[in-house]
Amino acid sequence: MTEHPTLVLLHGLAGSGALWDGLDAASQWDGPVVAPDLAGHGAATPLERYSFGALAARVAAALDPDQPVAVLGHSLGGVVALALASGWFGVRVTSVVALGVKLSWSPDELAKGRALGAKPPKVFETRAEAEAWAGRLAGLPSGPVTEFGGGWRAAVDPRAFAVGRPDLPGLLAAARARVTLAAGERDTMSPVEQLRTLVPNPVVLPDVGHNAHVEDPAATAVLLEYLR
């Protein structure tokens, strides 16, 4: 067991652990740093059924139960981080920062997620086409892809899009760790005004949008201070 907590970086829907590379957290954190692919994303094997608890259980299974962890999660990864903070998964979480978690979900948005989750993955002839589509799914210029059936597809199990709406008030109430909510100043998916309905003082990252850790890793690095 090391003296300092392991920093766990959790990416958002349709992303991968590689999206944290620009943060260079290893040079700014005193303990170990891991950035796993969530189940069904990147190189990680899929789940039979997607839920926030099932995603958290997969992350927990790869962590040392005797080693404390601090978790920085983005969007979907932020919800998974809050689930881990409950203590239900056998991981000793000391602190959590949930960045860019979406609070408000319309019936149409939820229906679109279910519809996308019911479709087979789109397969493209070229890697560039697949990367562009994967980027649309992740809200980025390009996204992670994998070879499939003689072509290329986004490196995400489409069924993950049907994971549904998280119970943020319930997750916050169940958390047994220090929790900070954060969002980019220009994040339309996670407006700071909505975060203030849950916590009085969310952290606002200036002049960035939803994917703050990709848009401006240096500005996002301030969140590590809230995990120490």
Side-chain angles (χ1 to χ4, degrees):
M1 176 172 164
T2 61
E3 181 180 359
H4 301 285
T6 296
L7 175 62
V8 182
L9 303 171
L10 300 180
H11 63 81
L13 185 62
S16 73
L19 293 179
W20 294 103
D21 287 355
L23 191 63
D24 190 23
S27 70
Q28 304 177 69
W29 189 257
D30 294 328
V33 178
V34 295
D37 293 339
L38 294 175
H41 293 71
T45 56
L47 294 167
E48 290 190 10
R49 179 181 177 277
Y50 286 87
S51 68
F52 303 112
L55 288 163
R58 177 69 70 81
V59 173
L63 298 173
D64 182 349
D66 296 323
Q67 169 67 18
V69 300
V71 191
L72 170 55
H74 170 249
S75 198
L76 171 62
V79 179
V80 175
L82 291 172
L84 288 169
S86 68
W88 299 333
F89 301 97
V91 177
R92 188 152 54 96
V93 179
T94 60
S95 56
V96 163
V97 172
L99 169 66
V101 173
K102 182 174 169 62
L103 274 68
S104 178
W105 293 83
S106 70
D108 185 54
E109 288 173 327
L110 293 169
K112 286 181 178 179
R114 290 191 297 270
L116 188 56
K119 295 178 180 178
K122 286 189 176 183
V123 181
F124 299 87
E125 289 187 4
T126 68
R127 179 171 188 151
E129 290 175 303
E131 287 178 340
W133 170 244
R136 286 179 59 189
L137 295 176
L140 294 165
S142 65
V145 299
T146 187
E147 292 185 80
F148 184 80
W152 297 84
R153 68 169 180 85
V156 57
D157 182 352
R159 296 177 301 152
F161 286 91
V163 68
R165 184 205 318 259
D167 175 12
L168 266 297
L171 287 169
L172 288 172
R176 296 166 59 184
R178 179 163 39 90
V179 172
T180 301
L181 299 186
E185 182 182 28
R186 297 186 286 102
D187 188 349
T188 57
M189 291 185 66
S190 182
V192 174
E193 295 76 13
Q194 291 184 7
L195 295 184
R196 289 195 178 108
T197 66
L198 295 177
V199 296
N201 296 301
V203 177
V204 183
L205 300 179
D207 202 34
V208 289
H210 186 60
N211 285 288
H213 56 310
V214 178
E215 297 170 40
D216 193 340
T220 306
V222 70
L223 297 179
L224 299 180
E225 296 304 315
Y226 293 87
L227 292 167
R228 297 188 194 281

